């Protein structure tokens, strides 16, 4: 009976480690994608971060300078958006746990592994919102195009 309990505990621990490794792998792909976008055009990347997350250019620059990779800056803003915490709180958690991965950072800030929010965190919101932004206009033109007075 004792051996069965120990085996069950080990199995659950291994499943947790495997799930965490899978999540970190998915975050790694997203972060690498962000890094590639930033490398291609850092100025555009910074503008898109600021526009999507409604952050000032100085705040975006500060976060980018404070992390290891541009993709980590995106993740700081994204976790802040989902948790509704200031990005500075996420940055503090990042500094304390960056070696443990974004899955751990997200969990520590209240995003439960496997939750809808956790799955949302893995999506590239900059690509899906290209040219749209999150602001009040949401990509609606301001000009006097066809049929506009």
């Amino acid at each position: 009976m004792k051996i069965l309990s120990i085996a069950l505990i080990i199995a659950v621990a291994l499943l947790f480690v495997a799930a965490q490794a899978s999540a970190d792998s998915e975050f790694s792909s997203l972060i690498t994608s962000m890094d590639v976008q930033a490398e291609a055009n850092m100025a555009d990347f910074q503008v898109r971060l600021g526009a999507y997350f409604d952050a000032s250019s100085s705040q975006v620059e500060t976060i980018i300078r404070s992390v290891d990779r541009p993709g980590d800056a995106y993740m700081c803003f994204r976790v802040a958006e989902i948790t509704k915490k200031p990005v500075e709180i996420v940055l503090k958690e990042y500094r304390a746990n960056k070696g443990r991965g974004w899955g751990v950072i997200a969990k520590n800030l209240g995003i439960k592994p496997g939750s809808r929010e956790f799955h949302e965190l893995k999506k590239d919101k900059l690509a899906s919102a290209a040219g749209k932004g999150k602001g009040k206009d949401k990509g609606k033109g301001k000009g006097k195009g066809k049929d506009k007075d």
Side-chain angles (χ1 to χ4, degrees):
M1 189 69 170
K2 233 180 189 181
I3 293 174
L4 184 59
S5 296
I6 293 171
L8 183 60
I9 291 170
I10 291 172
V12 169
L14 288 174
L15 284 173
F16 178 76
V17 168
Q20 188 64 43
S22 174
D24 286 342
S25 172
E26 290 179 55
F27 288 130
S28 179
S29 296
L30 175 61
I31 291 167
T32 298
S33 171
M34 293 295 148
D35 291 343
V36 168
Q37 292 176 45
E39 186 177 309
N41 188 336
M42 180 57 87
D44 178 64
F45 180 75
Q46 288 178 288
V47 166
R48 289 186 302 124
L49 274 181
Y52 184 82
F53 294 108
D54 197 25
S56 69
S57 60
S58 63
Q59 185 181 35
V60 170
E61 289 173 16
T62 297
I63 298 299
I64 287 176
R65 281 194 311 269
S66 301
V67 296
D68 293 341
R69 303 163 53 178
D72 289 328
Y74 168 82
M75 291 299 292
C76 283
F77 282 110
R78 189 74 175 108
V79 170
E81 176 186 44
I82 290 173
T83 61
K84 299 184 180 11
K85 295 182 187 304
V87 71
E88 293 78 15
I89 299 294
V90 178
L91 183 59
K92 184 177 178 182
E93 186 67 29
Y94 165 83
R95 288 177 177 150
N97 290 294
K98 65 183 176 180
R100 298 178 68 199
W102 277 102
V104 170
I105 295 167
K107 182 179 177 219
N108 289 349
L109 291 169
I111 301 174
K112 294 179 182 169
S115 67
R116 180 184 57 77
E117 292 84 5
F118 193 82
H119 290 290
E120 278 294 311
L121 189 56
K122 298 175 191 176
K123 294 181 182 175
D124 179 350
K125 291 298 189 173
L126 292 185
S128 64
K132 296 177 188 170
K134 265 185 17 181
K136 62 182 178 180
D137 292 330
K138 296 190 183 189
K140 296 176 185 169
K142 296 178 186 175
K144 293 188 172 210
K146 184 179 176 184
D147 299 329
K148 290 184 181 178
D149 293 318

